[in-house]
Amino acid sequence: MQLGKLLGISWIALALACPLAQAAAPVRPYQLEGTEVQTIPSKILHRDYEIFVSLPPSYATSTKRYPVLFITDADYAFPLIRSVNRRVSDHGKKLEEFILVGLSYAKGDDPVHSRNRDYTPTDTTGNSSERPTGQAEPYRQFIEKEVFPFVAANYRADMSRKVFSGHSYGSLLGLHMLLTEPQMFNQYILGSPSLWYDKRVMFDMERSYAASHKDMPAQLFMLIGSFETVKPQSRNPRYNKESDMVKEMKDFEAKLKSRHYPNLSVHSEVIQDEDHLTVFPALITRGLFWSFASK
């Protein structure tokens, strides 16, 4: 009996100790193979920004230079694009290899504040106590004058083939670039552009550009979800409540086409059964094929 009691106590002690042993084991964070995080101290913005870099599979064994895709909202978009690209390529629908550069938020900043400030073209806060917006132009200069040289100096990047992609406010930033320095990127993949922002200020910027330019050398692909419109008669909660973003995108496309710029290519697509929060995986997949489909 004494031996049985001792064995029982031993098993109980062992059972109690197992969770403690498991908890004490070191936890290894999940990492994305073949990626790097670089910090760029910006002299233009007086803030530090991180960029995420994913190199193509053949990078280590080749000497070639690769086109570069720059993506905003990198905390979300970078791992998603990397996974979509690899899955599509691994299953036979070959895409041209490219370097992926994720533009993350300012270090130490709240992500919402960082993107609201850096991706918007005008300040809508006025003299209120809200954090200011409207720094898209200095942020554009940061990308052009500090991110581009860093990427060119540290990676075998073909800087003559640069693609920009963004969603929502990220697309607003892309349109600001298009209407300020269109040749900054060769191609623009813009999803669900927030053309409603500041009383449709982008339409004013487009008119100003057209008044002083005869060409807009760029390729533009805009995409949006079919639910990003307004249908008051529908009870489906996925429809927008206020902004008809589908109509605004189509209006903006029509306006650009009406200018007859000789070197501008514009294409748009409405993706069925997607809303503002769900559309990005589908639109970036279409965007990757548009930009990097193997010839």
Side-chain angles (χ1 to χ4, degrees), residues 220-252:
L220 173 62
F221 188 17
M222 294 188 292
L223 307 98
I224 199 165
S226 61
F227 284 113
E228 296 187 73
T229 186
V230 178
K231 285 197 175 181
Q233 71 277 16
S234 174
R235 295 183 179 180
N236 192 325
R238 297 183 71 188
Y239 282 109
N240 284 357
K241 297 297 186 291
E242 298 178 0
S243 301
D244 190 342
M245 296 176 67
V246 175
K247 182 179 185 303
E248 288 169 337
M249 186 190 78
K250 289 294 185 180
D251 288 348
F252 196 81

PDB file of all heavy atoms in Angstrom, residues 220-252:
ATOM      1  N   LEU A 220      -1.824  52.491 -65.249  1.00  0.00           N
ATOM      2  CA  LEU A 220      -2.651  52.541 -64.051  1.00  0.00           C
ATOM      3  C   LEU A 220      -3.705  51.440 -64.089  1.00  0.00           C
ATOM      4  O   LEU A 220      -4.444  51.300 -65.068  1.00  0.00           O
ATOM      5  CB  LEU A 220      -3.329  53.915 -63.950  1.00  0.00           C
ATOM      6  CG  LEU A 220      -4.371  54.119 -62.849  1.00  0.00           C
ATOM      7  CD1 LEU A 220      -3.753  53.944 -61.475  1.00  0.00           C
ATOM      8  CD2 LEU A 220      -5.006  55.509 -62.988  1.00  0.00           C
ATOM      9  N   PHE A 221      -3.782  50.665 -63.012  1.00  0.00           N
ATOM     10  CA  PHE A 221      -4.787  49.616 -62.852  1.00  0.00           C
ATOM     11  C   PHE A 221      -5.500  49.866 -61.532  1.00  0.00           C
ATOM     12  O   PHE A 221      -4.888  49.787 -60.466  1.00  0.00           O
ATOM     13  CB  PHE A 221      -4.103  48.244 -62.858  1.00  0.00           C
ATOM     14  CG  PHE A 221      -5.036  47.063 -62.893  1.00  0.00           C
ATOM     15  CD1 PHE A 221      -6.357  47.186 -63.266  1.00  0.00           C
ATOM     16  CD2 PHE A 221      -4.562  45.803 -62.552  1.00  0.00           C
ATOM     17  CE1 PHE A 221      -7.217  46.088 -63.302  1.00  0.00           C
ATOM     18  CE2 PHE A 221      -5.400  44.691 -62.582  1.00  0.00           C
ATOM     19  CZ  PHE A 221      -6.727  44.832 -62.963  1.00  0.00           C
ATOM     20  N   MET A 222      -6.790  50.208 -61.604  1.00  0.00           N
ATOM     21  CA  MET A 222      -7.576  50.470 -60.401  1.00  0.00           C
ATOM     22  C   MET A 222      -8.594  49.346 -60.216  1.00  0.00           C
ATOM     23  O   MET A 222      -9.247  48.916 -61.177  1.00  0.00           O
ATOM     24  CB  MET A 222      -8.290  51.822 -60.502  1.00  0.00           C
ATOM     25  CG  MET A 222      -7.346  53.010 -60.519  1.00  0.00           C
ATOM     26  SD  MET A 222      -8.218  54.620 -60.416  1.00  0.00           S
ATOM     27  CE  MET A 222      -9.054  54.651 -62.013  1.00  0.00           C
ATOM     28  N   LEU A 223      -8.729  48.888 -58.979  1.00  0.00           N
ATOM     29  CA  LEU A 223      -9.650  47.807 -58.672  1.00  0.00           C
ATOM     30  C   LEU A 223     -10.456  48.149 -57.423  1.00  0.00           C
ATOM     31  O   LEU A 223      -9.979  48.884 -56.556  1.00  0.00           O
ATOM     32  CB  LEU A 223      -8.892  46.486 -58.437  1.00  0.00           C
ATOM     33  CG  LEU A 223      -7.921  46.043 -59.526  1.00  0.00           C
ATOM     34  CD1 LEU A 223      -6.495  46.448 -59.155  1.00  0.00           C
ATOM     35  CD2 LEU A 223      -7.984  44.546 -59.738  1.00  0.00           C
ATOM     36  N   ILE A 224     -11.655  47.582 -57.335  1.00  0.00           N
ATOM     37  CA  ILE A 224     -12.530  47.887 -56.204  1.00  0.00           C
ATOM     38  C   ILE A 224     -13.535  46.758 -56.042  1.00  0.00           C
ATOM     39  O   ILE A 224     -13.823  46.016 -56.992  1.00  0.00           O
ATOM     40  CB  ILE A 224     -13.241  49.242 -56.445  1.00  0.00           C
ATOM     41  CG1 ILE A 224     -13.771  49.820 -55.139  1.00  0.00           C
ATOM     42  CG2 ILE A 224     -14.342  49.101 -57.489  1.00  0.00           C
ATOM     43  CD1 ILE A 224     -14.150  51.292 -55.234  1.00  0.00           C
ATOM     44  N   GLY A 225     -14.068  46.598 -54.832  1.00  0.00           N
ATOM     45  CA  GLY A 225     -15.078  45.582 -54.588  1.00  0.00           C
ATOM     46  C   GLY A 225     -16.465  46.048 -54.985  1.00  0.00           C
ATOM     47  O   GLY A 225     -16.796  47.234 -54.877  1.00  0.00           O
ATOM     48  N   SER A 226     -17.296  45.115 -55.420  1.00  0.00           N
ATOM     49  CA  SER A 226     -18.639  45.477 -55.891  1.00  0.00           C
ATOM     50  C   SER A 226     -19.520  46.024 -54.777  1.00  0.00           C
ATOM     51  O   SER A 226     -20.491  46.756 -55.039  1.00  0.00           O
ATOM     52  CB  SER A 226     -19.318  44.260 -56.527  1.00  0.00           C
ATOM     53  OG  SER A 226     -19.467  43.208 -55.578  1.00  0.00           O
ATOM     54  N   PHE A 227     -19.219  45.710 -53.517  1.00  0.00           N
ATOM     55  CA  PHE A 227     -20.003  46.220 -52.400  1.00  0.00           C
ATOM     56  C   PHE A 227     -19.601  47.638 -51.993  1.00  0.00           C
ATOM     57  O   PHE A 227     -20.235  48.229 -51.106  1.00  0.00           O
ATOM     58  CB  PHE A 227     -19.863  45.302 -51.182  1.00  0.00           C
ATOM     59  CG  PHE A 227     -20.660  44.032 -51.275  1.00  0.00           C
ATOM     60  CD1 PHE A 227     -20.023  42.814 -51.382  1.00  0.00           C
ATOM     61  CD2 PHE A 227     -22.049  44.056 -51.252  1.00  0.00           C
ATOM     62  CE1 PHE A 227     -20.751  41.637 -51.459  1.00  0.00           C
ATOM     63  CE2 PHE A 227     -22.791  42.885 -51.331  1.00  0.00           C
ATOM     64  CZ  PHE A 227     -22.137  41.666 -51.437  1.00  0.00           C
ATOM     65  N   GLU A 228     -18.576  48.200 -52.644  1.00  0.00           N
ATOM     66  CA  GLU A 228     -18.100  49.531 -52.252  1.00  0.00           C
ATOM     67  C   GLU A 228     -18.901  50.633 -52.951  1.00  0.00           C
ATOM     68  O   GLU A 228     -18.362  51.617 -53.438  1.00  0.00           O
ATOM     69  CB  GLU A 228     -16.603  49.654 -52.522  1.00  0.00           C
ATOM     70  CG  GLU A 228     -15.775  48.680 -51.678  1.00  0.00           C
ATOM     71  CD  GLU A 228     -14.291  48.893 -51.808  1.00  0.00           C
ATOM     72  OE1 GLU A 228     -13.793  49.889 -51.254  1.00  0.00           O
ATOM     73  OE2 GLU A 228     -13.628  48.072 -52.469  1.00  0.00           O
ATOM     74  N   THR A 229     -20.186  50.423 -52.993  1.00  0.00           N
ATOM     75  CA  THR A 229     -21.125  51.396 -53.529  1.00  0.00           C
ATOM     76  C   THR A 229     -22.223  51.579 -52.487  1.00  0.00           C
ATOM     77  O   THR A 229     -22.173  50.978 -51.417  1.00  0.00           O
ATOM     78  CB  THR A 229     -21.706  50.928 -54.878  1.00  0.00           C
ATOM     79  OG1 THR A 229     -22.504  51.954 -55.437  1.00  0.00           O
ATOM     80  CG2 THR A 229     -22.526  49.653 -54.725  1.00  0.00           C
ATOM     81  N   VAL A 230     -23.205  52.402 -52.784  1.00  0.00           N
ATOM     82  CA  VAL A 230     -24.283  52.666 -51.838  1.00  0.00           C
ATOM     83  C   VAL A 230     -25.600  52.144 -52.411  1.00  0.00           C
ATOM     84  O   VAL A 230     -25.967  52.486 -53.530  1.00  0.00           O
ATOM     85  CB  VAL A 230     -24.399  54.181 -51.541  1.00  0.00           C
ATOM     86  CG1 VAL A 230     -25.561  54.453 -50.599  1.00  0.00           C
ATOM     87  CG2 VAL A 230     -23.098  54.711 -50.951  1.00  0.00           C
ATOM     88  N   LYS A 231     -26.276  51.314 -51.634  1.00  0.00           N
ATOM     89  CA  LYS A 231     -27.591  50.809 -52.026  1.00  0.00           C
ATOM     90  C   LYS A 231     -28.515  50.884 -50.815  1.00  0.00           C
ATOM     91  O   LYS A 231     -28.660  49.912 -50.060  1.00  0.00           O
ATOM     92  CB  LYS A 231     -27.491  49.375 -52.549  1.00  0.00           C
ATOM     93  CG  LYS A 231     -26.896  49.282 -53.941  1.00  0.00           C
ATOM     94  CD  LYS A 231     -27.176  47.941 -54.588  1.00  0.00           C
ATOM     95  CE  LYS A 231     -26.682  47.927 -56.031  1.00  0.00           C
ATOM     96  NZ  LYS A 231     -26.959  46.622 -56.689  1.00  0.00           N
ATOM     97  N   PRO A 232     -29.139  52.034 -50.602  1.00  0.00           N
ATOM     98  CA  PRO A 232     -29.983  52.220 -49.409  1.00  0.00           C
ATOM     99  C   PRO A 232     -31.111  51.204 -49.305  1.00  0.00           C
ATOM    100  O   PRO A 232     -31.553  50.862 -48.205  1.00  0.00           O
ATOM    101  CB  PRO A 232     -30.528  53.639 -49.578  1.00  0.00           C
ATOM    102  CG  PRO A 232     -29.583  54.304 -50.535  1.00  0.00           C
ATOM    103  CD  PRO A 232     -29.091  53.223 -51.440  1.00  0.00           C
ATOM    104  N   GLN A 233     -31.574  50.713 -50.466  1.00  0.00           N
ATOM    105  CA  GLN A 233     -32.694  49.784 -50.447  1.00  0.00           C
ATOM    106  C   GLN A 233     -32.285  48.377 -50.019  1.00  0.00           C
ATOM    107  O   GLN A 233     -33.146  47.543 -49.698  1.00  0.00           O
ATOM    108  CB  GLN A 233     -33.364  49.719 -51.826  1.00  0.00           C
ATOM    109  CG  GLN A 233     -32.538  49.023 -52.917  1.00  0.00           C
ATOM    110  CD  GLN A 233     -31.518  49.938 -53.568  1.00  0.00           C
ATOM    111  OE1 GLN A 233     -31.205  50.999 -53.034  1.00  0.00           O
ATOM    112  NE2 GLN A 233     -31.012  49.539 -54.719  1.00  0.00           N
ATOM    113  N   SER A 234     -30.996  48.110 -49.991  1.00  0.00           N
ATOM    114  CA  SER A 234     -30.517  46.775 -49.617  1.00  0.00           C
ATOM    115  C   SER A 234     -30.280  46.688 -48.113  1.00  0.00           C
ATOM    116  O   SER A 234     -29.822  47.634 -47.482  1.00  0.00           O
ATOM    117  CB  SER A 234     -29.208  46.453 -50.353  1.00  0.00           C
ATOM    118  OG  SER A 234     -28.674  45.218 -49.897  1.00  0.00           O
ATOM    119  N   ARG A 235     -30.562  45.529 -47.578  1.00  0.00           N
ATOM    120  CA  ARG A 235     -30.296  45.280 -46.162  1.00  0.00           C
ATOM    121  C   ARG A 235     -28.930  44.634 -45.942  1.00  0.00           C
ATOM    122  O   ARG A 235     -28.567  44.339 -44.808  1.00  0.00           O
ATOM    123  CB  ARG A 235     -31.387  44.380 -45.581  1.00  0.00           C
ATOM    124  CG  ARG A 235     -32.774  45.017 -45.558  1.00  0.00           C
ATOM    125  CD  ARG A 235     -33.784  44.091 -44.909  1.00  0.00           C
ATOM    126  NE  ARG A 235     -35.114  44.701 -44.857  1.00  0.00           N
ATOM    127  CZ  ARG A 235     -36.190  44.102 -44.341  1.00  0.00           C
ATOM    128  NH1 ARG A 235     -36.084  42.882 -43.829  1.00  0.00           N
ATOM    129  NH2 ARG A 235     -37.345  44.716 -44.338  1.00  0.00           N
ATOM    130  N   ASN A 236     -28.217  44.426 -47.002  1.00  0.00           N
ATOM    131  CA  ASN A 236     -26.900  43.789 -46.884  1.00  0.00           C
ATOM    132  C   ASN A 236     -25.922  44.772 -46.235  1.00  0.00           C
ATOM    133  O   ASN A 236     -25.641  45.837 -46.789  1.00  0.00           O
ATOM    134  CB  ASN A 236     -26.386  43.376 -48.265  1.00  0.00           C
ATOM    135  CG  ASN A 236     -25.179  42.451 -48.190  1.00  0.00           C
ATOM    136  OD1 ASN A 236     -24.338  42.571 -47.298  1.00  0.00           O
ATOM    137  ND2 ASN A 236     -25.086  41.522 -49.122  1.00  0.00           N
ATOM    138  N   PRO A 237     -25.366  44.438 -45.064  1.00  0.00           N
ATOM    139  CA  PRO A 237     -24.490  45.386 -44.360  1.00  0.00           C
ATOM    140  C   PRO A 237     -23.135  45.588 -45.024  1.00  0.00           C
ATOM    141  O   PRO A 237     -22.370  46.465 -44.603  1.00  0.00           O
ATOM    142  CB  PRO A 237     -24.320  44.736 -42.980  1.00  0.00           C
ATOM    143  CG  PRO A 237     -24.505  43.266 -43.228  1.00  0.00           C
ATOM    144  CD  PRO A 237     -25.541  43.174 -44.313  1.00  0.00           C
ATOM    145  N   ARG A 238     -22.828  44.837 -46.067  1.00  0.00           N
ATOM    146  CA  ARG A 238     -21.520  44.960 -46.706  1.00  0.00           C
ATOM    147  C   ARG A 238     -21.450  46.168 -47.639  1.00  0.00           C
ATOM    148  O   ARG A 238     -20.362  46.594 -48.021  1.00  0.00           O
ATOM    149  CB  ARG A 238     -21.164  43.675 -47.461  1.00  0.00           C
ATOM    150  CG  ARG A 238     -21.039  42.458 -46.557  1.00  0.00           C
ATOM    151  CD  ARG A 238     -20.620  41.233 -47.337  1.00  0.00           C
ATOM    152  NE  ARG A 238     -19.236  41.320 -47.775  1.00  0.00           N
ATOM    153  CZ  ARG A 238     -18.680  40.430 -48.615  1.00  0.00           C
ATOM    154  NH1 ARG A 238     -19.396  39.453 -49.123  1.00  0.00           N
ATOM    155  NH2 ARG A 238     -17.424  40.564 -48.967  1.00  0.00           N
ATOM    156  N   TYR A 239     -22.600  46.708 -48.025  1.00  0.00           N
ATOM    157  CA  TYR A 239     -22.581  47.912 -48.865  1.00  0.00           C
ATOM    158  C   TYR A 239     -22.126  49.113 -48.044  1.00  0.00           C
ATOM    159  O   TYR A 239     -22.369  49.196 -46.834  1.00  0.00           O
ATOM    160  CB  TYR A 239     -23.968  48.188 -49.438  1.00  0.00           C
ATOM    161  CG  TYR A 239     -24.338  47.311 -50.600  1.00  0.00           C
ATOM    162  CD1 TYR A 239     -25.311  46.322 -50.470  1.00  0.00           C
ATOM    163  CD2 TYR A 239     -23.716  47.459 -51.839  1.00  0.00           C
ATOM    164  CE1 TYR A 239     -25.659  45.502 -51.540  1.00  0.00           C
ATOM    165  CE2 TYR A 239     -24.049  46.649 -52.916  1.00  0.00           C
ATOM    166  CZ  TYR A 239     -25.022  45.670 -52.761  1.00  0.00           C
ATOM    167  OH  TYR A 239     -25.356  44.869 -53.815  1.00  0.00           O
ATOM    168  N   ASN A 240     -21.449  50.061 -48.725  1.00  0.00           N
ATOM    169  CA  ASN A 240     -21.061  51.306 -48.058  1.00  0.00           C
ATOM    170  C   ASN A 240     -22.299  52.069 -47.608  1.00  0.00           C
ATOM    171  O   ASN A 240     -23.351  52.013 -48.262  1.00  0.00           O
ATOM    172  CB  ASN A 240     -20.231  52.184 -49.002  1.00  0.00           C
ATOM    173  CG  ASN A 240     -18.810  51.687 -49.168  1.00  0.00           C
ATOM    174  OD1 ASN A 240     -18.403  50.717 -48.541  1.00  0.00           O
ATOM    175  ND2 ASN A 240     -18.052  52.351 -50.016  1.00  0.00           N
ATOM    176  N   LYS A 241     -22.132  52.797 -46.523  1.00  0.00           N
ATOM    177  CA  LYS A 241     -23.251  53.576 -46.004  1.00  0.00           C
ATOM    178  C   LYS A 241     -23.302  54.987 -46.594  1.00  0.00           C
ATOM    179  O   LYS A 241     -24.366  55.588 -46.683  1.00  0.00           O
ATOM    180  CB  LYS A 241     -23.127  53.685 -44.479  1.00  0.00           C
ATOM    181  CG  LYS A 241     -23.219  52.343 -43.753  1.00  0.00           C
ATOM    182  CD  LYS A 241     -24.577  51.686 -43.969  1.00  0.00           C
ATOM    183  CE  LYS A 241     -24.728  50.413 -43.131  1.00  0.00           C
ATOM    184  NZ  LYS A 241     -23.833  49.336 -43.619  1.00  0.00           N
ATOM    185  N   GLU A 242     -22.152  55.534 -47.010  1.00  0.00           N
ATOM    186  CA  GLU A 242     -22.117  56.919 -47.470  1.00  0.00           C
ATOM    187  C   GLU A 242     -21.486  57.076 -48.851  1.00  0.00           C
ATOM    188  O   GLU A 242     -22.118  57.585 -49.769  1.00  0.00           O
ATOM    189  CB  GLU A 242     -21.366  57.789 -46.454  1.00  0.00           C
ATOM    190  CG  GLU A 242     -22.033  57.837 -45.075  1.00  0.00           C
ATOM    191  CD  GLU A 242     -21.243  58.652 -44.080  1.00  0.00           C
ATOM    192  OE1 GLU A 242     -20.180  59.176 -44.470  1.00  0.00           O
ATOM    193  OE2 GLU A 242     -21.669  58.760 -42.923  1.00  0.00           O
ATOM    194  N   SER A 243     -20.242  56.666 -49.013  1.00  0.00           N
ATOM    195  CA  SER A 243     -19.498  56.973 -50.242  1.00  0.00           C
ATOM    196  C   SER A 243     -19.697  55.900 -51.307  1.00  0.00           C
ATOM    197  O   SER A 243     -19.473  54.713 -51.056  1.00  0.00           O
ATOM    198  CB  SER A 243     -18.004  57.094 -49.932  1.00  0.00           C
ATOM    199  OG  SER A 243     -17.763  58.105 -48.992  1.00  0.00           O
ATOM    200  N   ASP A 244     -20.098  56.347 -52.493  1.00  0.00           N
ATOM    201  CA  ASP A 244     -20.180  55.442 -53.645  1.00  0.00           C
ATOM    202  C   ASP A 244     -18.806  55.408 -54.292  1.00  0.00           C
ATOM    203  O   ASP A 244     -18.523  56.107 -55.273  1.00  0.00           O
ATOM    204  CB  ASP A 244     -21.237  55.925 -54.628  1.00  0.00           C
ATOM    205  CG  ASP A 244     -21.534  54.892 -55.716  1.00  0.00           C
ATOM    206  OD1 ASP A 244     -20.701  53.981 -55.899  1.00  0.00           O
ATOM    207  OD2 ASP A 244     -22.584  54.997 -56.365  1.00  0.00           O
ATOM    208  N   MET A 245     -17.929  54.581 -53.741  1.00  0.00           N
ATOM    209  CA  MET A 245     -16.548  54.540 -54.196  1.00  0.00           C
ATOM    210  C   MET A 245     -16.410  53.922 -55.582  1.00  0.00           C
ATOM    211  O   MET A 245     -15.470  54.243 -56.320  1.00  0.00           O
ATOM    212  CB  MET A 245     -15.687  53.794 -53.178  1.00  0.00           C
ATOM    213  CG  MET A 245     -15.607  54.502 -51.822  1.00  0.00           C
ATOM    214  SD  MET A 245     -14.691  53.587 -50.565  1.00  0.00           S
ATOM    215  CE  MET A 245     -13.017  53.629 -51.250  1.00  0.00           C
ATOM    216  N   VAL A 246     -17.332  53.049 -55.947  1.00  0.00           N
ATOM    217  CA  VAL A 246     -17.291  52.463 -57.293  1.00  0.00           C
ATOM    218  C   VAL A 246     -17.529  53.544 -58.339  1.00  0.00           C
ATOM    219  O   VAL A 246     -16.793  53.665 -59.330  1.00  0.00           O
ATOM    220  CB  VAL A 246     -18.326  51.332 -57.427  1.00  0.00           C
ATOM    221  CG1 VAL A 246     -18.369  50.819 -58.874  1.00  0.00           C
ATOM    222  CG2 VAL A 246     -18.005  50.182 -56.468  1.00  0.00           C
ATOM    223  N   LYS A 247     -18.558  54.354 -58.134  1.00  0.00           N
ATOM    224  CA  LYS A 247     -18.855  55.443 -59.076  1.00  0.00           C
ATOM    225  C   LYS A 247     -17.708  56.445 -59.133  1.00  0.00           C
ATOM    226  O   LYS A 247     -17.336  56.925 -60.220  1.00  0.00           O
ATOM    227  CB  LYS A 247     -20.148  56.157 -58.683  1.00  0.00           C
ATOM    228  CG  LYS A 247     -20.549  57.277 -59.649  1.00  0.00           C
ATOM    229  CD  LYS A 247     -21.850  57.944 -59.218  1.00  0.00           C
ATOM    230  CE  LYS A 247     -22.292  58.974 -60.259  1.00  0.00           C
ATOM    231  NZ  LYS A 247     -21.264  60.013 -60.510  1.00  0.00           N
ATOM    232  N   GLU A 248     -17.150  56.783 -57.961  1.00  0.00           N
ATOM    233  CA  GLU A 248     -16.047  57.743 -57.936  1.00  0.00           C
ATOM    234  C   GLU A 248     -14.840  57.221 -58.708  1.00  0.00           C
ATOM    235  O   GLU A 248     -14.196  57.982 -59.440  1.00  0.00           O
ATOM    236  CB  GLU A 248     -15.672  58.047 -56.486  1.00  0.00           C
ATOM    237  CG  GLU A 248     -16.703  58.895 -55.761  1.00  0.00           C
ATOM    238  CD  GLU A 248     -16.469  58.983 -54.275  1.00  0.00           C
ATOM    239  OE1 GLU A 248     -15.809  58.077 -53.711  1.00  0.00           O
ATOM    240  OE2 GLU A 248     -16.950  59.937 -53.655  1.00  0.00           O
ATOM    241  N   MET A 249     -14.541  55.937 -58.568  1.00  0.00           N
ATOM    242  CA  MET A 249     -13.417  55.371 -59.311  1.00  0.00           C
ATOM    243  C   MET A 249     -13.686  55.414 -60.815  1.00  0.00           C
ATOM    244  O   MET A 249     -12.807  55.766 -61.612  1.00  0.00           O
ATOM    245  CB  MET A 249     -13.147  53.929 -58.866  1.00  0.00           C
ATOM    246  CG  MET A 249     -11.900  53.317 -59.494  1.00  0.00           C
ATOM    247  SD  MET A 249     -11.730  51.532 -59.193  1.00  0.00           S
ATOM    248  CE  MET A 249     -12.925  50.890 -60.404  1.00  0.00           C
ATOM    249  N   LYS A 250     -14.907  55.053 -61.210  1.00  0.00           N
ATOM    250  CA  LYS A 250     -15.259  55.078 -62.629  1.00  0.00           C
ATOM    251  C   LYS A 250     -15.232  56.508 -63.181  1.00  0.00           C
ATOM    252  O   LYS A 250     -14.803  56.747 -64.321  1.00  0.00           O
ATOM    253  CB  LYS A 250     -16.633  54.445 -62.834  1.00  0.00           C
ATOM    254  CG  LYS A 250     -16.661  52.934 -62.633  1.00  0.00           C
ATOM    255  CD  LYS A 250     -15.853  52.222 -63.694  1.00  0.00           C
ATOM    256  CE  LYS A 250     -15.961  50.731 -63.606  1.00  0.00           C
ATOM    257  NZ  LYS A 250     -15.147  50.042 -64.660  1.00  0.00           N
ATOM    258  N   ASP A 251     -15.695  57.465 -62.384  1.00  0.00           N
ATOM    259  CA  ASP A 251     -15.659  58.869 -62.811  1.00  0.00           C
ATOM    260  C   ASP A 251     -14.215  59.336 -63.004  1.00  0.00           C
ATOM    261  O   ASP A 251     -13.908  60.057 -63.969  1.00  0.00           O
ATOM    262  CB  ASP A 251     -16.349  59.759 -61.777  1.00  0.00           C
ATOM    263  CG  ASP A 251     -17.864  59.598 -61.763  1.00  0.00           C
ATOM    264  OD1 ASP A 251     -18.396  58.969 -62.695  1.00  0.00           O
ATOM    265  OD2 ASP A 251     -18.500  60.093 -60.805  1.00  0.00           O
ATOM    266  N   PHE A 252     -13.345  58.937 -62.095  1.00  0.00           N
ATOM    267  CA  PHE A 252     -11.947  59.352 -62.188  1.00  0.00           C
ATOM    268  C   PHE A 252     -11.287  58.706 -63.407  1.00  0.00           C
ATOM    269  O   PHE A 252     -10.529  59.363 -64.134  1.00  0.00           O
ATOM    270  CB  PHE A 252     -11.197  58.959 -60.909  1.00  0.00           C
ATOM    271  CG  PHE A 252      -9.885  59.668 -60.737  1.00  0.00           C
ATOM    272  CD1 PHE A 252      -9.833  60.958 -60.224  1.00  0.00           C
ATOM    273  CD2 PHE A 252      -8.696  59.059 -61.106  1.00  0.00           C
ATOM    274  CE1 PHE A 252      -8.618  61.619 -60.067  1.00  0.00           C
ATOM    275  CE2 PHE A 252      -7.480  59.712 -60.954  1.00  0.00           C
ATOM    276  CZ  PHE A 252      -7.441  60.998 -60.436  1.00  0.00           C
TER     277      PHE A 252
END
